[in-house]
Amino acid sequence: MISNRLKIVLGIFFIFLFSFAKPISDYDIVQQFKKSVSAITVEIRNSTDSTLTNELKLKIDELKQNSIENKALLNNAIYPETFGSVFAKLNKEISQAKTKNILSSNLETVTKEKDSMQVVLIDYSGKITELTNENSSLIGKIRVIKKSMKNDKNAIFKYKRLIEKLKNNVETRNILVASIVDSLFKNMEKSKGGDVKRLSLVRQIDENSIMETIVNSIDGNIAFMKNSSLSQDDLDFVLDEYSKFTKTWKRISIPLTKTYYEGAKSEMILKAINSKLKKWDVTIYSSLWNKLYSRFKEKGIKVKKFKSAKSFNKNLISYIDLKISGKDTKLYKVFRDSVWQQNDVQGWIGFLMDHRKLSKKQVAEIETKISEWNSFDSGEFMNQLIVGGAVLLFLILIVMFFKAKKKKNMIDDSSINYNQSIVSDEDDNSKER
Amino acid sequence: MKKKNFFSVLIILGLLFLVSCSSVVLKPVNYSWALESELSVTNGKIHDIRNGIKMDISSLLKNEFGKMGGDIDKIRMIRNMSGYYFITASTFKNVYVFETGNGKMSLVRKISIDKSGFTNPKFNQRNDYIVFLYNTDKSLKLTEKGILK
């Protein structure tokens, strides 16, 4: 409860205070307002990040609050503008600044991305070129060594080492190509028709080299396939690489070709690369069929050449049929032991079956034929065994016969001698008498 | 006959007089400017673009400072509700009140403010009067008739 006296004193004090308050000019109010608006506008246009923009929003609100009591004066003084239109303009400037900041930030990000993409592209492209050149040299050496490799352990060892090196290089190159593609076409599959800005960016920094790189990479993988020993490891490697490559290609093929080419040319390039990929796929299995055929041929099994499961099945069965009908069992063991049951051959057959290039039924039919050949070959053997046995028995009987005869003769001889000795004794006795 | 003609002429003249007198009147009119104008003086001339006034104030300056005139950079001007113009400037001693005429402005009153000259003059529009601020902390209420007490 404030006393009346105190109220009076306070009242006088405030009146005294306000009497000394500086009178404010309308003109100054308007000028100050205009200055504040101008300063805020400049700050908005110069702002570079969203936090600053938010601070400016607060400043605008503060100015509005502070100026509201002079709204009538300002409306008259700043005609044709109004108090409201000034703040509407400021708010518009703020939202434009925000948009500008976002775009600038995006531009900065895109520029950074572009720079990093360029670095990756240059660095990796260089490495890819080195690997491609090295691989060409390795393939040359492999081809030379293959010719002289038959019984030369040293050459075989060198060949294996070269293949291993080539495989590693092919794998490394595939990884580099995939990295380039990922770097250039990150998240491409998320945009329905391709990110237009991103595509133009890619086009800016990469002048068709990625297309060439992809084509060379496919060719490199095909060359490896043709020159490798096709061990189980090699086959797994080749298929794995093919699978990875085709997955990546599926993801980026359309935006990639559209980046560099338009209309019909884009379709043409797409078709050409798809065709190369098909060739890669075909080469994997054609190389296997070739390897299988070579193995039979090396061992003197003159089966007709096969390139598919159908011809493999047909030609092997007809070969065995021929042997059976001709009662030719000479090569049965070679066929079975030196070719059919070899680990690598069985491995290839298993691989073809796993990848549905050869059916279990087709293999079973061949094995049935082999068994038939086996039983035919066993029958002859049995005959030979029986004949042999009979001959042996006959010989044994002859030997026994002669032995028996000899014994009999010996007994006869010994009994004659005995009789003769008795007779002589009797003579002697008679003489003595 | 002559009387009749005379009256006819008189009636006609009277009617004409009435017609000329009964001009259209618009009122009330508020001539006040919301804000004073601060105008640069160039060769004794000012130009208020906003309010559409251009004039030579050399005679005003001579009136304030003598024959030589004064070296004034800016003058301040406002118009009150009644349509009178109040003009002054820093270092002036007076506020001048003008009314408009045919291509001219005529001095109505010279309001003496500070004999030693004032600084920082400002006009605030208050419809019934003009608030005159000067010397940073002083103020007066002015009309075309002078200082309001």
Side-chain angles (χ1 to χ4, degrees):
Chain A
M1 284 291 287
I2 307 167
S3 68
N4 286 340
R5 257 196 207 173
L6 188 57
K7 277 183 197 172
I8 292 163
V9 168
L10 278 169
I12 293 166
F13 173 72
F14 281 116
I15 288 163
F16 184 72
L17 202 64
F18 282 124
S19 70
F20 281 98
K22 189 176 163 183
I24 306 164
S25 156
D26 290 351
Y27 182 82
D28 287 346
I29 290 168
V30 173
Q31 291 304 108
Q32 189 55 45
F33 177 78
K34 284 181 179 176
K35 263 188 197 167
S36 301
V37 167
S38 179
I40 289 173
T41 307
V42 167
E43 269 189 274
I44 291 169
R45 286 175 189 171
N46 292 338
S47 74
T48 53
D49 63 77
S50 53
T51 44
L52 196 59
T53 318
N54 291 337
E55 278 173 23
L56 289 169
K57 184 83 178 68
L58 291 171
K59 270 191 184 176
I60 292 169
D61 293 339
E62 200 185 315
L63 176 64
K64 195 172 182 179
Q65 277 302 114
N66 293 342
S67 315
I68 195 93
E69 61 184 5
N70 296 312
K71 186 176 172 181
L73 168 66
L74 289 167
N75 274 336
N76 286 328
I78 61 176
Y79 179 87
E81 294 273 14
T82 63
F83 185 80
S85 73
V86 164
F87 287 101
K89 257 191 188 173
L90 284 173
N91 287 328
K92 192 178 173 183
E93 291 272 349
I94 286 268
S95 64
Q96 282 174 349
K98 274 186 184 169
T99 308
K100 185 199 86 178
N101 287 342
I102 290 167
L103 288 173
S104 295
S105 166
N106 284 351
L107 182 65
E108 209 183 308
T109 308
V110 166
T111 307
K112 274 186 191 165
E113 251 187 285
K114 178 185 164 183
D115 290 342
S116 86
M117 275 157 64
Q118 251 168 342
V119 165
V120 164
L121 193 66
I122 291 165
D123 179 33
Y124 285 14
S125 295
K127 286 180 183 163
I128 286 168
T129 307
E130 272 175 38
L131 287 168
T132 305
N133 293 338
E134 200 180 331
N135 289 357
S136 300
S137 159
L138 285 170
I139 287 170
K141 287 178 187 171
I142 287 167
R143 283 179 183 156
V144 167
I145 275 200
K146 262 171 117 172
K147 288 176 186 171
S148 61
M149 187 171 89
K150 272 196 177 165
N151 294 311
D152 186 346
K153 281 188 183 173
N154 220 18
I156 292 171
F157 176 72
K158 273 187 189 165
Y159 169 76
K160 284 183 178 174
R161 273 184 58 191
L162 287 169
I163 288 290
E164 197 57 38
K165 175 84 182 143
L166 181 64
K167 189 162 90 176
N168 290 338
N169 282 1
V170 167
E171 189 177 13
T172 306
R173 188 179 57 188
N174 288 347
I175 289 168
L176 290 172
V177 172
S179 300
I180 290 176
V181 165
D182 276 341
S183 173
L184 290 175
F185 295 95
K186 218 185 295 182
N187 300 323
M188 190 62 72
E189 69 279 9
K190 285 184 184 173
S191 318
K192 274 189 182 172
D195 182 330
V196 173
K197 280 180 192 167
R198 201 181 174 82
L199 291 178
S200 78
L201 186 65
V202 166
R203 215 183 282 122
Q204 278 173 48
I205 67 167
D206 179 40
E207 298 159 2
N208 292 342
S209 63
I210 187 67
M211 298 300 286
E212 209 180 298
T213 305
I214 287 172
V215 167
N216 287 343
S217 191
I218 299 172
D219 285 342
N221 281 279
I222 293 172
F224 171 75
M225 191 70 224
K226 285 181 175 173
N227 287 285
S228 82
S229 59
L230 294 182
S231 65
Q232 196 58 49
D233 276 348
D234 288 349
L235 287 170
D236 289 341
F237 166 75
V238 160
L239 268 181
D240 188 41
E241 293 302 305
Y242 175 76
S243 164
K244 283 191 279 194
F245 205 101
T246 45
K247 261 189 200 161
T248 305
W249 178 248
K250 219 178 181 177
R251 181 165 61 87
I252 56 111
S253 56
I254 291 168
L256 186 142
T257 47
K258 279 185 179 168
T259 298
Y260 295 106
Y261 308 104
E262 287 171 1
K265 195 161 183 192
S266 165
E267 289 294 317
M268 193 184 82
I269 299 294
L270 196 67
K271 221 176 171 178
I273 295 186
N274 284 339
S275 159
K276 262 210 184 287
L277 282 171
K278 180 79 188 160
K279 187 183 172 187
W280 184 0
D281 181 39
V282 164
T283 307
I284 294 169
Y285 301 103
S286 67
S287 301
L288 263 176
W289 291 122
N290 280 341
K291 267 287 190 210
L292 268 169
Y293 171 72
S294 303
R295 186 55 63 83
F296 282 100
K297 194 177 169 187
E298 277 162 25
K299 296 295 175 184
I301 309 289
K302 291 179 185 172
V303 65
K304 263 190 199 164
K305 190 160 186 181
F306 46 82
K307 288 181 188 177
S308 67
K310 192 177 175 183
S311 55
F312 175 68
N313 174 277
K314 183 185 166 192
N315 296 356
L316 251 63
I317 288 173
S318 66
Y319 174 83
I320 297 170
D321 273 339
L322 200 67
K323 292 296 169 190
I324 292 172
S325 63
K327 295 182 185 179
D328 184 351
T329 57
K330 278 186 222 165
L331 290 171
Y332 169 76
K333 274 191 183 168
V334 173
F335 186 101
R336 185 193 65 184
D337 298 341
S338 304
V339 183
W340 189 255
Q341 286 182 351
Q342 286 293 303
N343 287 339
D344 51 356
V345 170
Q346 284 296 308
W348 296 334
I349 290 170
F351 183 88
L352 288 164
M353 281 167 58
D354 287 344
H355 293 89
R356 297 181 189 179
K357 299 294 179 183
L358 182 63
S359 71
K360 281 185 185 172
K361 187 186 171 196
Q362 284 167 324
V363 173
E365 283 170 2
I366 295 168
E367 286 187 339
T368 305
K369 258 312 152 182
I370 295 172
S371 302
E372 204 180 302
W373 193 9
N374 181 26
S375 62
F376 171 79
D377 184 62
S378 308
E380 276 293 302
F381 177 71
M382 281 308 293
N383 288 343
Q384 283 167 4
L385 205 62
I386 290 165
V387 164
V391 164
L392 194 63
L393 192 66
F394 180 70
L395 285 169
I396 292 169
L397 285 169
I398 289 173
V399 165
M400 281 174 66
F401 173 75
F402 280 114
K403 268 194 177 172
K405 196 177 177 184
K406 194 181 176 182
K407 196 174 179 184
K408 191 183 171 191
N409 289 341
M410 275 176 71
I411 291 168
D412 286 343
D413 285 341
S414 66
S415 67
I416 290 166
N417 288 335
Y418 181 67
N419 287 337
Q420 280 179 348
S421 70
I422 290 172
V423 165
S424 66
D425 280 343
E426 280 180 356
D427 283 337
D428 285 339
N429 286 339
S430 64
K431 273 180 184 178
E432 277 174 14
R433 285 193 211 128
Chain B
M1 262 318 268
K2 278 186 184 173
K3 254 192 188 176
K4 260 192 188 176
N5 288 340
F6 173 74
F7 275 120
S8 307
V9 168
L10 205 65
I11 287 163
I12 291 162
L13 280 171
L15 281 168
L16 278 169
F17 179 73
L18 276 168
V19 163
S20 66
C21 281
S22 62
S23 51
V24 179
V25 175
L26 305 174
K27 61 176 187 179
V29 175
N30 186 341
Y31 291 100
S32 62
W33 291 356
L35 199 67
E36 65 177 333
S37 292
E38 187 187 46
L39 305 168
S40 301
V41 180
T42 313
N43 299 325
K45 294 184 175 70
I46 58 167
H47 183 188
D48 187 347
I49 300 166
R50 184 184 160 83
N51 295 301
I53 295 177
K54 209 191 267 187
M55 56 188 174
D56 192 324
I57 59 164
S58 311
S59 53
L60 168 66
L61 295 173
K62 278 177 188 169
N63 194 284
E64 176 70 20
F65 295 110
K67 276 185 185 171
M68 294 306 291
D71 191 16
I72 299 291
D73 287 334
K74 290 183 194 296
I75 62 106
R76 303 188 91 87
M77 186 163 78
I78 198 166
R79 196 175 185 191
N80 74 356
M81 198 166 67
S82 305
Y84 291 93
Y85 289 87
F86 292 71
I87 302 175
T88 193
S90 189
T91 70
F92 270 33
K93 294 167 188 166
N94 309 288
V95 171
Y96 294 80
V97 182
F98 289 90
E99 66 177 358
T100 53
N102 198 5
K104 62 183 180 183
M105 275 202 195
S106 307
L107 183 66
V108 167
R109 198 169 301 281
K110 185 173 167 179
I111 304 171
S112 178
I113 306 294
D114 186 340
K115 281 180 184 168
S116 55
F118 46 76
T119 59
N120 210 21
K122 307 257 171 65
F123 289 119
N124 282 353
Q125 181 64 255
R126 292 293 180 266
N127 288 333
D128 294 338
Y129 51 85
I130 300 290
V131 170
F132 179 64
L133 306 172
Y134 65 104
N135 292 351
T136 312
D137 54 354
K138 290 185 177 166
S139 67
L140 292 168
K141 293 177 189 175
L142 304 178
T143 67
E144 63 274 19
K145 289 173 183 167
I147 298 171
L148 257 185
K149 281 173 184 171

